[in-house]
Amino acid sequence: MSSEQANDLECEHLTKRFGAFTAVDDVSFEIPSGSFFSILGPSGCGKTTLMRMIAGFEDPAAGDIRIKGRSVLGTPPNRRNVKMVFQHLALFPMMNVGENIAYGLRCAGVGRSDIERRVRDVLERIGLPGVEGKEINQLSGGQKQRIAIARCMVLEPDVLLLDEPLGALDLKLRERMKIELKLLQHQFDTTFVYITHDQSEALVMSDRVAVMNGGRFEQIGAPQELYNAPGTAFVAGFVGDSNRWSGRVVAADAEAVQVETAGGARLLCRPGALRPAPGEAVEVFVRPEAIAIAGGGAGEGAGGNRLAGRVDSLLFNGAASRVLVRGADDRLVEVAYAPEGGPGDFGPGDAVELAWAAAQTKCFPSQG
Amino acid sequence: MKSTRAILLSASAAALVLLAGTGGAEAETLRLLTWGSYAPDKIVEAFEKKYPDIHVEVTFSNNEEMIAKLRATGGAGFDLAQPSHDRIYAVQKEYGLYKPLDLSKIDMSVFEPKLLEGVKANTTIDGKVYAVPHQWGTSGIMVDKTKAPDAKGWGDLCNSKYKGRTSMRLKRTILLGTAFSMGYDPFAAYGDLKKYQEILDKVADKLIACKDNIKAYWKGGDDLASLMLSGEVVMSETWDSTAYRIYNQNHNIVFVPPETGALAWIDTFAIPAKGEADDAAYKWINFVMQPEMVKLMSASSGAVIAVKNGKDMLPDDKKAAYEAAWTPEDVQRLKFFANIPPGVEDMEGKTLEKIKAATGG
Amino acid sequence: MPRKDADRLSLILLMTPLLLWLVLLILLPHLGIGYLSLREKVAPRVYHFSFANYIDFLHEPIYWNTLLRTAWMSILVTVLTLFVGFPIAYYIAKVAGRRSRAALFLLCLVPLWVSDLVRAFGWMMLLRETGIVSGLLQWAGLSSGPVEMLYNDVTVIVGLVYTVVLFMIVPIVSTLDGMDNSLIEAGYNLGGSRLTVLRRIIVPYAMPGIVAGCIIVFMLTAGSYLTPVLLGGKNSMWFTEQIYDQFITRYNWEGGSTFGILLLVFTSLVVWAGLRLSGQNLATTVAKR
């Protein structure tokens, strides 16, 4: 078996029902060896159930799960070489760090001296050498995180599942841990499956991301793909920030679709895989950073969208600063701006003109 | 404004006076410390009807607990107690739990003279009488005639013919009964405790050897009744009243006064040293010794009341059981429990512990 | 200043019931019993200070044998109760749904609704030679004749376990309740078998509850009276029966007090030894939470 074709984890038509409720609905995907795969979705979308099925805590109603090409449906959780970092980490409070890490090794029947060496090694690899003797409650949040990963990685799993492990951390630490997790994944060269509702976590760390909604995968792709070419309205809305309009198709050709929004504005947009027919209800999305803002009537290329309005407020947030512009239809439009331009450019109440390319504007048929 | 307040004031003053008035006439309480069936509701009701200013409060107990309760308070908390005749003398000497009776307040004419004299003889200290008899009964054996027709005495409980089919209560009665069946007179030995200890040792040996023969030691009347009625046990040491009760349900089960004499106890009336309602206590004594009440009492307790012809006052069913059990000779052979001298309880207690702890069957 | 006074007053009001309880119901009676146990009766109404009652106890093998027997059987009852109670507690805390949970708790409470006496008689009806179980066995052809299951130590132990099992279940349920289910799942996920997860994760986590339950059960059992007396056989003596006999039958309050103190001291010793052996202490178990 060459490593090229080997997928560490494959799921096929996986379905799980709780009574009448379908938590996971016919989900299929595969994860190549050594990649960082995220499942991104709002709470209740079925991502945790999916992960629990992979770990073996739930049995699927239909479908198959294969690890390293072998089906694990009949394998109990303690025999699957899939380890899991729990949401609240689930470090054993009655054991110290060393014992926590050694637990899995002891279960596997590894010899005493071997255990000691491997515990020492893994602690070194995660950058916490010599903490074997510490109690769990003596550790900081970030340290606990790393211990929880080390506890799994010491067992050299085929796949490591992570169930929103950063959720309990404060913002600063979370930002740092994102990077650290990615580095750890590189270092261990193991397949990580990361579950989160936080799109920035998924985008930053992952090689590939699956966006999940209502028990189904909406789209699987690299972070850039999801961001730049969302396949559905849900993905466009959930991944990254967007301005959003509802409207109706006025005219459609191969290149662009013309939409009249509920507020009466006319927008040109590029359709997704499905081209909407005239008269159909659509959702229109455009990213804040795709919009150019100008004080005068600075024109954009042909096929562009324009919108006049007044500056409502400035939201300063460093690189992610925004201008809120109130359009003629009384809707607020979020526009990115570079703060080094200085606050003198425009202030609240100034008349401005917004412009963006039709290619940057996505539209999808309204759902439901 | 002023006048309303005056009215209110005088009204509440009047109310207070009224309350105080009823308080003054409030019933005094007669706190009775007695045996399970010795204060049936009917008698209590009749008594309270006759003396509306007396309220009767009944606490059920047994000899040992009665003494323990009174001892804990030095004789306070109750106004009338009913210990057995043999449990008064030593307890009075040691702890002073009772006060002498004023016999002039009791209608002495109703008592069966033999029992009255017996109790007086047992409970007179320094010329003062501390108790009068109320009702009496015996301990003997109870036998299922169909399964153990020839059982006659205490010794038969240990007869290997009935192995695993007999029962007894591991208390002092069986020690005394067994001693009599072995030919001793334990009551006579009370005067010479060394000799009494020798008897007890022999009794203990016999009862330890007998353990194998016994199914279980019973602990209370209900316990004993179910053992007998279920047929698990064919012979047991018993109180006669329990036997009479069972006779009503199964005529094959009769009380047998042991050939060495049934052991008789007399439950008495005695007034605790710190009793607070002596008059009410005397009223109760006189009340329950009236013929109508005697009948009610007999029906409730199943024992014979210490009035003249007490036996005839038994209700019919109990009388039948009584007659099935007793011959005039048996009555002649009755042995009344003798006063327990100080120290004997301890000796007996140790003997009983020895028997219980020994590994027999 | 007035505020401080008010604070002090509320503190006093808060503490009063506790102090009253401690002093009136715990401290004073024990002092009284301790004092009584040190009096030797030399003649009617004449007492001396002495250790004679304790020496008597040591000289009488029946007494200390009964005490040892009571302790030994209480330990056995405690262990059995743990084995019976732990799975029930685990089921209630971790497996049962919200509704069945309440029902199960109620079921465990049932034995406490009826008095000791009724409970003991219930067992007697079931287990006696002419009782229900014996009848069933004969009916099912498992036994040719009546079977007597009453009046022996096994019955006493069964009866006691039944009576006290709730006191084992409640503390264990409350510790297990606080346990995150993901700890158990992590235990499996990292390769633990059922036994490993139970032994290395669930039991250590529940240890404070287990120890608290064991202490309560042991003390209750050693101090129980009616069940061992009514269900017990011809040879089974329970130490409380000795105490009762001393106090009530033999009017020997001094001896009874001595026995009471000895029972207290001895059971405390057993609890202490148990804590030492299991590496626990009172602060981390009973007093926790």
Side-chain angles (χ1 to χ4, degrees), chain C residues 5 9 22 24-25 31-32 38 57 64 77 79 85 93 136-137 143 156 177 179 181 188 190 211 226 245 264-265:
Chain C
D5 283 347
L9 180 69
L22 277 177
L24 291 182
L25 292 173
L31 283 179
L38 292 173
F57 172 84
W64 46 262
V77 167
V79 172
L136 277 178
L137 284 179
S143 153
V156 174
D177 243 353
M179 181 181 195
N181 280 343
Y188 286 120
L190 294 168
V211 171
L226 267 175
D245 280 351
L264 181 69
V265 170

Side-chain angles (χ1 to χ4, degrees), chain A residues 2-24:
Chain A
S2 82
S3 66
E4 285 294 310
Q5 63 178 84
N7 287 325
D8 271 348
L9 179 65
E10 293 160 336
C11 290
E12 233 169 54
H13 305 297
L14 212 50
T15 301
K16 175 73 188 175
R17 294 185 197 90
F18 295 106
F21 174 69
T22 305
V24 175

Side-chain angles (χ1 to χ4, degrees), chain C residues 24 29 32 34 39 59 62 108-109 124 161 200 209 212 218 236-237 244 247 258 289:
Chain C
L24 291 182
R39 295 199 323 168
H59 280 306
I62 291 179
C108 296
L109 266 174
M124 291 172 81
V161 168
R200 297 213 43 215
F218 176 76
S236 35
M237 258 306 233
Y244 179 90
F247 268 102
T258 309
R289 260 174 275 195

Side-chain angles (χ1 to χ4, degrees), chain B residues 29-41:
Chain B
T29 305
L30 173 64
R31 293 162 302 171
L32 198 56
L33 181 59
T34 188
W35 297 77
S37 52
Y38 281 22
D41 289 344

Side-chain angles (χ1 to χ4, degrees), chain A residues 15 18 33 48 69-70 81 87 91 94 114 118 139 171-172 204 206-207 228 241 256 287 305-306 326 351:
Chain A
T15 301
F18 295 106
S33 286
T48 299
R70 206 171 307 133
N81 201 15
Q87 194 163 10
L91 293 171
M94 53 280 176
D114 220 16
R118 285 171 68 175
L139 302 177
L171 188 69
K172 199 89 182 177
V204 167
S206 313
D207 297 319
N228 295 325
D241 293 336
R287 304 257 178 230
N305 290 308
R306 285 167 181 281
R326 196 171 292 278

Side-chain angles (χ1 to χ4, degrees), chain B residues 215-220 223 226-227 232 356, chain C residues 69 73 77 115-129 148-164 224-238 241:
Chain B
K215 181 179 181 65
Y217 296 121
W218 58 270
K219 276 101 186 178
D223 193 9
S226 49
L227 279 172
E232 290 174 19
K356 179 94 197 247
Chain C
R69 206 183 106 86
M73 282 183 59
V77 167
S115 80
D116 262 7
L117 198 65
V118 176
R119 215 175 329 165
F121 274 113
W123 277 106
M124 291 172 81
M125 273 170 62
L126 271 181
L127 296 179
R128 65 183 320 135
E129 195 180 331
E148 177 64 275
M149 276 165 282
L150 210 56
Y151 311 123
N152 58 51
D153 291 350
V154 178
T155 322
V156 174
I157 287 176
V158 171
L160 282 170
V161 168
Y162 169 76
T163 311
V164 296
S224 66
Y225 176 75
L226 267 175
T227 310
V229 167
L230 284 177
L231 301 183
K234 290 177 282 187
N235 310 323
S236 35
M237 258 306 233
W238 209 253
E241 212 178 331

Side-chain angles (χ1 to χ4, degrees), chain C residues 72-87:
Chain C
W72 159 236
M73 282 183 59
S74 301
I75 291 171
L76 195 62
V77 167
T78 309
V79 172
L80 286 175
T81 309
L82 178 60
F83 279 107
V84 173
F86 192 87

